[in-house]
Amino acid sequence: MRCDRIEDLLPAYADSALDPRERAEVEVHLASCPACTSLLACLRAADEALAVFPEVDPGTELRGRLVSIAAPRQKFSLFTLLRKPSLQPVLTAASVLGVVASLYLLNPGRRDFEKNVVRTFHRGVGRVEKLYAQAGGITGSIGSFAENLYASLRSSNPLERDKD
Amino acid sequence: MLVDQFSKKVFNLAYQFTGSYHEAQDLTQDIFVKLFHSLTKYEAGRNFSAWLTTLAKNHLIDEYRRTKWEKKNRDEFDDRILTASAGTSSPEERLLQNERQRILWGGLNQLPADIRMAVILKEIQGKSYEETASIIGVPEGTVKSRVNRGRLQLARILQKKKEHSDEM
């Protein structure tokens, strides 16, 4: 068998992964080929050196960089936003409004309440109108009284009477 | 915490793939940014480590295609790596192992991106063929073929260096 064919089989030979026929062929070749025997020795030496290849420490500076990447980022969260102290008065007012609105909307006597409100409103409007009409009558009486007073004053004044 | 648990793993994958310490730092940061944006896509019950490695692999390959790192030189096999590997038994063995690793470190740059990634995941990071296939998203047979081609290429690089030093 030629060296290039044997060389391809050497890794499997070193791992004892060849079938008996191929293994025998390789051993026959190695017995008469110093170059392939040397290559097999180097292959085993390389395997051994790679297996105990040292691990290098990445250093504290890199570790610091990696930890800073891992630190939790400030993401937008509705929950965080709602917990802001500056929003608390607004949220309290909204809650109170919500309670009042729900009490009103869910109240079973809501219709009667609305009717009462409308009735009271119209009654108030009627009263205002009546007061306005009464105020108009009083104004007219005051006007005619003033005119009468003025006329009587003129008639009782001798100077004014001479002019006429 | 995700950073503590996975930053070293992701960084080393990026470093082994690119060969540049600073490039690997920036890429690790990019990968973690992607990770935090994609966490919602992670399906509970899946292997998180494999999922993250797939995300990292995709980013590294995309960046590789965009910037063509193969034209750049890798960092020297420097003090950082030598310090980390100082655990082998005798000083002579450690020296020999370091020399081999230095050659292989440079040799990784000569592997095409898909083969390099398969070799790093299977041979350096110690994942099984099944895990590597799942991370890369190709059949197991394709992974075996890529890994074996990569191993052979690295072995030839070691052999060439050895022959060169024997001649001297």
Side-chain angles (χ1 to χ4, degrees), chain A residues 12 17 21 39 58 65 67 110 145 152 154 160 162:
Chain A
R21 188 183 55 80
L39 186 61
R65 277 153 65 184
V67 168
R110 193 178 114 201
F145 175 75
S152 64
R154 277 190 69 176
E160 289 289 328
D162 291 344

Side-chain angles (χ1 to χ4, degrees), chain A residues 55-58 63 66-67 70, chain B residues 1-13 28 32 35-36 39 42 46-50 52-53 125 127:
Chain A
E55 276 205 319
V56 179
D57 191 80
R63 195 188 171 281
L66 299 181
V67 168
Chain B
M1 192 182 177
L2 283 178
V3 171
D4 292 330
Q5 207 173 338
F6 295 104
S7 60
K8 191 172 183 181
K9 193 185 177 77
V10 172
F11 171 79
N12 274 280
L13 178 65
T28 304
F32 270 82
L35 167 69
F36 290 121
L39 274 177
Y42 170 70
R46 276 186 70 184
N47 180 338
F48 184 81
S49 176
L52 173 59
T53 311
Q125 303 223 339
K127 300 197 182 301

Side-chain angles (χ1 to χ4, degrees), chain A residues 77-108:
Chain A
S77 148
L78 187 62
F79 183 68
T80 315
L81 180 73
L82 292 176
R83 284 180 61 196
K84 274 191 172 181
S86 57
L87 273 182
Q88 294 313 304
V90 178
L91 291 174
T92 309
S95 308
V96 170
L97 269 175
V99 170
V100 170
S102 61
L103 280 174
Y104 170 69
L105 293 171
L106 301 173
N107 188 354

Side-chain angles (χ1 to χ4, degrees), chain B residues 13 24-25 39 64 116 124 138 152-153 166 168:
Chain B
L13 178 65
Q25 282 191 320
L39 274 177
Y64 169 83
R116 193 191 311 172
I124 300 180
V138 295
L152 207 54
Q153 203 166 331
D166 287 348
M168 287 174 74

Side-chain angles (χ1 to χ4, degrees), chain B residues 28-76:
Chain B
T28 304
Q29 186 176 334
D30 294 346
I31 290 165
F32 270 82
V33 169
K34 273 195 172 178
L35 167 69
F36 290 121
H37 280 112
S38 330
L39 274 177
T40 49
K41 293 179 194 161
Y42 170 70
E43 294 159 17
R46 276 186 70 184
N47 180 338
F48 184 81
S49 176
W51 180 76
L52 173 59
T53 311
T54 304
L55 191 138
K57 183 272 304 178
N58 288 341
H59 185 72
L60 292 172
I61 295 283
D62 288 349
E63 281 298 299
Y64 169 83
R65 287 186 182 138
R66 203 172 62 78
T67 59
K68 295 288 174 193
W69 287 322
E70 81 277 17
K71 289 175 186 164
K72 296 181 189 172
N73 290 325
R74 292 173 80 86
D75 286 354
E76 285 297 313

